[in-house]
Structures are given as structure tokens and as C-alpha cells.
Amino acid sequence: MKVDLEQLAVQQVGEWITRGAPDRAIPEEPMPAIAAMRLVEEELAVEGIPERNLATFVTTWMEPEARRVIDDNLHRNYIDHAEYPQTFEIQQRCIRMLAELFHAPGETTGTSTQGSSEAIMLGALSLKLKWRQRREAAGKPTDNPNLVFGGDVHVVWEKFCRYFDVEPRIVPLQAGKYTVGPEDVEPHVDENTIGVAAVVGTTFTGHADDVVGINNLLLELKEKKGLDIPLHIDGASGGFVWPFLYPHSEWDFRLEQVRSINVSGHKFGLVYPGIGWLVFREKSDLARELVFTENYLGRADDTFTLNFSTGSSMILAQYYNFVRFGKEGYRRIMEIMQANAKSLADDIEGLGKFQIIGKDEETLPLVAFNLAEEHAYDEFDIAFQLAAERGWMLPAYTMPPNAQDVKMMRALVKLNLARSLVDTLHEDIGAAIATLEKKGPVTESERKRVKTSVTH
Ligand SMILES: Cc1ncc(COP(=O)(O)O)c(C=O)c1O
């Protein structure tokens, strides 16, 4: 008997196999669960492979036991504290643990968020509202708030300024200087400054702003001019790296003007997306106007997030990591990543073409590098060639103003880039360069396919 293979496939997995995936209207008819699952899986098959994705800071691997915690709790709505009071308690434990890690002097407050972006929006809103309170109490105008930060910050800081009507005062970078310090910040602060934001672990090169210097500047302004300007630390990545790799380096609540810190649980907190944290130095650093008390769900609760219903799994997974690894476990993991990043940096340097950016400075476990000299090809060509030949996603990008002429490449070295993969990557970068030397730079259409986004 002749079997109609197409008919058979359609019967087994659904019409999409020959007609394509539904992409405009919700289909009129249901399809079997197995068919829907296959459809979704097949659609995603073209996407990046986590082990070869060196672009993202976000966690792409967790232990099977952690995945089980996540799976078992997907139904839990975090905001429903009446139904899930222990989930709320566990979230509070995480906040207390982070406050202790960041050396908060006493009792504090904070919240879990969708990621550092939400944490930054909330932290910066609190700065704005607290500034307004101070100005109103002094009988001064409140129509012109500004926020000071370096060009090395993540785009979310500018987003905050646009969404919430605050003037961004951005300290430009320069070629060869990719973080900011007190001398850069000083000309921009005045009585309308709601706060200064400094980054520990920048998105562009992984280094930290001079937080100690900026703190000293703000202390001086407080003493000499009576301007009490708070400092917020964007520790999206660095908040989980500095305490373990550079424990004696002061960047957190050990510094007096540091009033709030955000950190992404889903980056070096080693949890899948999306989880972030916002921690205040003291309870009084949280603007009271941000807090809403509601009792829709059967219990009066204070909340100050931008969303309401949200999942609990990643909060529970964060707690799982805290108790599973302990401080010693986090330290060892960070050291492993750092050791592999150092090997990769040495290997890349050994190719004789590149310079490593800020090699001996405190940095995230990553390698930021660029070509030491002009060639017929550039960093974007290398990124393309490496992706085309071996599927690595190693982004090329230009630095923010006024260093926009500087091209950069950046490889994140996470737990799933073990030493043997580092060696393979090294060989593959060498091979991509050899190809480019032979055939010349990539074409315009190839160039359009280069991975350039570094903002996550
Ligand atoms: C320094 C910095 N701040 C903020 C963010 C935004 O964080 P999230 O992706 O957790 O919202 C990032 C993301 O890469 C970052 O690197």
C-alpha cells in the first residue's frame, strides 16, 4: 500500500508542518498538545545555542534540582501573599541576605523585581521623590530634577529619565577611558541633582566606576555646600561578582552616600531570567509615596513594584542558589569563571592582533578586546566570520559617546564556557582571522548579520 507521507505527517503533527506556523490570528481549531509542542520547539530551533552565546550576561544553565524547584512552583503568583505567605517570607530572606552581603548597617528594605531594569526604575523614582520632599520642605522649586551618570551606563538609565521626566546629565567617555570618577561627575551636580548613579561591572567593558572617589566627592559636597546627594549603585552584574572576587574593594553600603543598590539575580546571581533585586541602605531611603497598601487578595500588604502579578519560581530559585552554594560556593564559581576569562584573555592576546581592555583592573569574568592596529578587516568582520564558521555569538559594537570611534568585542565567560571550550574558541578566533586575511573584509550584506547588541 502506498503511504501518503505528507498526509501522515499532517495527521501526526498538524497542518503547520506544510502550511507554516499560525502567525496572525489565533487558529480557529485546536491542535494536539504534541503538535503544538513540536511547533514551538521547531520555531525556536533557529535560535542561538547557549554554550556559544558569549554575548549575554544572563544565566543560560542551572542545575537539574534548581530546575525542579522552578518547575514545581510555576503556578505560584508571587503577589498573592495571602495564599503564598512563605514565598513572601523567602523573598524577604533573600533581601536580608543581599543587604548583609552588601554591608547594610542595620535594618533595611528592598524588593524583588523583573530584572535590574525594574529595580533601577524604582530606585531612581525613589531618588526623585526623596529629592522632591527635601526641596518642598525647604520651600524650593521642584520642576527641574536631574540625574548624573556616565556614558558607560546601561540604556535603562536614559529610559528612566525619559519615562519619568528627569534631565539626564551624562558624562561622556573618551577613547581609552571607559568608566567615570569624581572629576567627571563634579561639574554636573547641583541642588537639582536627585542622585548620582555609578556602575560596578559595566555592560561595555566589565569594569567599575570609581565609586570610592565619587562617594568622597559627595561627602565633600555635603560637608562644604550642604548638598546631600545620594549615590545609587548599578550592580546589575557586579553586585554578585565584587563581593566574592574583590571582597576588600569598597563599592557598597560601606560607603556612606551609597543609599541603594540594584543587582540582577539572573546574571551572576546564577538564576534564569527574569529576576532582579533592589536593596536600600535603610528603610528611610525608600520614598514612602512609592509604597501602596492593598488588601484585594485577603491580606493587607505593602508593595512598591511596577508590576503586580508575577511568578515566584525565580525568587525561589534565587533562594535555592543562596542556600545551595553559600558564600563559599559563589566564591568558587566566580573564581572558576575568572580563571577561564584570564586564560581566554591570554590566548586572545597571544594571537598577536588584539589588545585586552583594562586587563589588570577589577572586572567581571569577561574579556573585552579590540584590534591593536588597523587591518583590512575590523571587529565587526571578525564577529561575522566567527559566527559563520563556528556559530559563536561574540558581539562587536562601538563604544558610547565620546568614544564612539572605538570598536570593541566582548566575550562573557560563564560557567558553561569551560576550559576546553575556551581553547576551542581561541582556535576559532585564530581561524576566523586567517580567513579574513585571505579573503579580505566581509561584504555589506554579511555585515548586517553581525551581532551588535550588548545591552543584556
Ligand atoms: C550595568 C547594567 N545595568 C542594567 C542592566 C539591565 O538589567 P536587566 O537586564 O536585568 O534588566 C544591565 C544588563 O545587562 C547592565 O549590564
Side-chain angles (χ1 to χ4, degrees):
M1 196 179 72
K2 196 161 164 271
V3 179
D4 182 337
L5 284 180
E6 185 179 332
Q7 193 55 33
L8 192 67
V10 168
Q11 274 167 11
Q12 281 179 351
V13 295
E15 292 191 335
W16 61 268
I17 198 158
T18 51
R19 292 207 187 154
D23 65 352
R24 283 200 179 269
I26 297 173
E28 295 300 330
E29 299 296 329
M31 68 170 82
I34 188 89
M37 188 181 83
R38 273 201 54 192
L39 188 163
V40 174
E41 281 177 354
E42 228 169 85
E43 285 292 306
L44 299 181
V46 294
E47 295 199 328
I49 299 167
E51 285 76 11
R52 280 189 251 165
N53 181 354
L54 308 176
T56 184
F57 287 92
V58 173
T59 302
T60 49
W61 183 85
M62 287 187 78
E63 297 179 316
E65 291 80 359
R67 294 185 71 130
R68 178 146 173 210
V69 169
I70 291 169
D71 285 353
D72 287 352
N73 293 291
L74 286 169
H75 63 286
R76 229 172 268 277
N77 181 5
Y78 164 71
I79 202 69
D80 194 346
H81 302 333
E83 186 78 11
Y84 307 120
Q86 202 57 20
T87 302
F88 175 64
E89 163 56 21
I90 287 176
Q91 185 246 27
Q92 293 292 305
R93 287 182 196 168
C94 290
I95 293 164
R96 290 194 289 269
M97 288 175 178
L98 284 170
E100 192 269 342
L101 186 68
F102 299 159
H103 301 95
E107 222 195 319
T108 178
T109 186
T111 184
S112 51
T113 56
Q114 210 48 49
S116 277
S117 299
E118 188 191 2
I120 286 168
M121 297 277 172
L122 285 166
L125 265 176
S126 187
L127 293 177
K128 182 178 174 184
L129 296 174
K130 297 284 294 182
W131 167 82
R132 202 170 64 190
Q133 272 172 19
R134 289 196 298 276
R135 299 282 290 174
E136 279 170 359
K140 294 192 172 154
T142 58
D143 50 356
N144 229 351
N146 69 68
L147 181 62
V148 178
F149 48 83
D152 56 337
V153 300
H154 186 269
V155 64
V156 61
W157 285 96
E158 275 186 77
K159 227 186 214 185
F160 163 79
C161 289
R162 202 184 301 167
Y163 290 1
F164 293 101
D165 211 13
V166 171
E167 178 201 345
R169 291 197 175 164
I170 308 174
V171 182
L173 304 183
Q174 302 156 34
K177 186 170 185 296
Y178 306 124
T179 54
V180 299
E183 66 289 358
D184 306 303
V185 166
E186 189 169 14
H188 298 277
V189 291
D190 60 25
E191 59 175 12
N192 287 319
T193 301
I194 64 170
V196 175
V199 193
V200 174
T202 76
T203 322
F204 300 97
T205 66
H207 299 99
D209 287 335
D210 178 0
V211 183
V212 171
I214 297 171
N215 180 68
N216 288 340
L217 166 73
L218 298 180
L219 285 175
E220 206 180 298
L221 286 176
K222 187 154 73 174
E223 205 182 302
K224 294 198 179 138
K225 293 197 183 162
L227 278 182
D228 188 359
I229 300 175
L231 180 54
H232 175 99
I233 302 297
D234 180 352
S237 292
F240 275 113
V241 173
W242 259 252
F244 303 111
L245 291 185
Y246 317 111
H248 301 299
S249 196
E250 296 195 339
W251 62 276
D252 55 12
F253 296 127
R254 282 168 287 184
L255 304 175
E256 191 177 320
Q257 289 305 103
V258 176
R259 312 308 300 187
S260 46
I261 298 175
N262 68 274
V263 62
S264 297
H266 57 211
K267 295 190 174 108
F268 294 96
L270 307 175
V271 179
Y272 285 133
I275 177 87
W277 300 94
L278 171 64
V279 185
F280 290 95
R281 180 193 191 85
E282 289 170 22
K283 284 189 162 179
S284 58
D285 288 306
L286 165 64
R288 288 311 297 171
E289 297 106 298
L290 279 183
V291 180
F292 280 77
T293 305
E294 49 67 33
N295 64 357
Y296 310 123
L297 300 172
R299 176 179 140 159
D301 276 316
D302 283 353
T303 61
F304 59 99
T305 45
L306 295 177
N307 53 57
F308 191 66
S309 299
T310 189
S312 302
S313 279
M314 300 309 159
I315 295 170
L316 300 173
Q318 183 77 79
Y319 184 67
Y320 166 91
N321 275 358
F322 286 168
V323 297
R324 153 85 175 109
F325 300 136
K327 287 179 180 165
E328 188 50 35
Y330 266 102
R331 182 169 303 116
R332 277 191 231 156
I333 291 170
M334 299 300 152
E335 282 169 0
I336 289 169
M337 296 192 287
Q338 187 187 39
N340 282 336
K342 283 210 163 111
S343 302
L344 181 63
D346 290 344
D347 288 347
I348 290 175
E349 216 171 20
L351 290 168
K353 302 271 179 206
F354 298 102
Q355 56 186 354
I356 310 295
I357 308 302
K359 196 177 167 203
D360 299 319
E361 291 168 35
E362 293 178 355
T363 186
L364 299 173
L366 56 75
V367 187
F369 60 105
N370 57 18
L371 285 164
E373 287 168 14
E374 288 281 315
H375 291 270
Y377 52 88
D378 70 3
E379 289 79 355
F380 288 83
D381 297 338
I382 299 170
F384 173 83
Q385 201 59 41
L386 201 53
E389 285 183 16
R390 299 288 287 178
W392 292 107
M393 283 187 275
L394 199 162
Y397 48 98
T398 49
M399 293 296 286
N402 293 333
Q404 63 272 37
D405 294 336
V406 179
K407 296 172 190 164
M408 196 70 77
M409 301 188 79
R410 190 197 65 198
L412 257 295
V413 180
K414 301 205 296 274
L415 257 191
N416 50 2
L417 195 81
R419 181 56 204 255
S420 57
L421 274 180
V422 166
D423 293 343
T424 309
L425 173 62
H426 164 223
E427 281 165 24
D428 292 346
I429 296 173
I433 287 175
T435 310
L436 289 168
E437 301 221 314
K438 226 185 292 160
K439 75 159 193 181
V442 307
T443 62
E444 239 356 90
S445 67
E446 287 171 330
R447 202 169 251 264
K448 288 206 180 89
R449 286 154 51 198
V450 176
K451 169 108 182 86
T452 54
S453 170
V454 288
T455 54
H456 53 268

